Amino acid sequence: MRLSAKEIFTIPNCLSILRIILLPIFVIFYIQAKEPEDYLLPTLIIFISAISDLLDGFIARTFNQVTELGKAIDPVADKLQQAAIVFCLLFRYDQMIPLVILFVVKELFMGINGLILLRKGKKLDGAMWFGKVSTAVFYLCMLSLLAFPNLEEKWVNLFISITGFFLALSFLLYIPVYVKLYQQPK
């Protein structure tokens, strides 16, 4: 499949690419942060990325700029961003270990099964509502941990637990969706 410049350089695709480009900048600034105010810039980078994620989907649908490339790079940008966040926070909070494991298992499950289903000519049509809720909760909780590095441990544990609950719930609700896709005839 050959893509034209018009299909590649849409505003939504450029926003997805921008999110990917911002990731190493976020990681560098987060890892180098020492004082509480040093965490504001990496938090702002993730906030801008999260807003651009909302915008790219809205713009794509509203202005008929949905492309096959966009359908591929948007979820990649999302998962890379989420992975960067959880792995950076892992260096600050040991309590993140179970959340990181859950995140990796869920994303491997969905990614591997998504690829298998694609090879069989089947695919999931975008995120389900529970996946979107899980993502929104993820960003609210993780942005709180990024922005406020001196939170009391009870708040850190609460944000990690809430994120883990919604991540696990989303994972469990996606399993029957994938099972149905496997059972559908071609």
Side-chain angles (χ1 to χ4, degrees):
M1 175 176 71
R2 196 136 197 268
L3 296 172
S4 69
K6 183 180 176 186
E7 292 170 314
I8 295 170
F9 295 108
T10 64
I11 293 171
N13 290 354
C14 290
L15 288 172
S16 291
I17 292 166
L18 173 66
R19 289 192 348 251
I20 294 169
I21 291 168
L22 286 174
L23 288 176
I25 298 167
F26 157 74
V27 171
I28 290 166
F29 279 108
Y30 187 84
I31 289 173
Q32 291 179 347
K34 302 281 185 254
E35 300 298 322
E37 59 271 9
D38 296 342
Y39 291 93
L40 293 178
L41 182 58
T43 302
L44 181 62
I45 290 169
I46 292 300
F47 181 76
I48 290 168
S49 291
I51 296 299
S52 75
D53 183 25
L54 293 173
L55 280 176
D56 74 12
F58 172 77
I59 292 168
R61 288 184 297 278
T62 304
F63 298 100
N64 197 27
Q65 294 186 2
V66 175
T67 64
E68 291 305 312
L69 177 63
K71 289 179 192 177
I73 63 172
D74 179 61
V76 169
D78 292 346
K79 296 311 164 194
L80 288 174
Q81 183 170 312
Q82 291 174 4
I85 292 168
V86 296
F87 283 107
C88 280
L89 287 172
L90 179 61
F91 288 102
R92 182 156 183 83
Y93 304 109
D94 290 339
Q95 306 95 306
M96 289 289 294
I97 292 171
L99 186 69
V100 170
I101 292 168
L102 177 59
F103 176 81
V104 170
V105 168
K106 175 187 177 275
E107 295 309 324
L108 282 174
F109 169 83
M110 293 184 67
I112 291 167
N113 282 292
L115 289 172
I116 292 168
L117 288 166
L118 269 176
R119 289 185 56 84
K120 292 182 175 207
K122 303 174 185 182
K123 65 179 182 172
L124 184 64
D125 289 329
M128 307 295 285
W129 68 268
F130 45 84
K132 291 180 181 191
V133 169
S134 176
T135 299
V137 168
F138 174 91
Y139 280 111
L140 287 173
C141 292
M142 296 300 107
L143 275 169
S144 298
L145 294 178
L146 290 171
F148 305 105
N150 292 333
L151 283 175
E152 291 180 33
E153 191 169 344
K154 67 180 179 182
W155 292 109
V156 171
N157 291 335
L158 179 65
F159 287 133
I160 291 171
S161 297
I162 290 169
T163 304
F165 172 79
F166 279 93
L167 198 62
L169 181 63
S170 169
F171 184 20
L172 292 173
L173 291 174
Y174 268 116
I175 291 171
V177 171
Y178 280 90
V179 169
K180 272 187 187 172
L181 285 170
Y182 277 109
Q183 293 171 343
Q184 287 177 349
K186 269 191 168 180

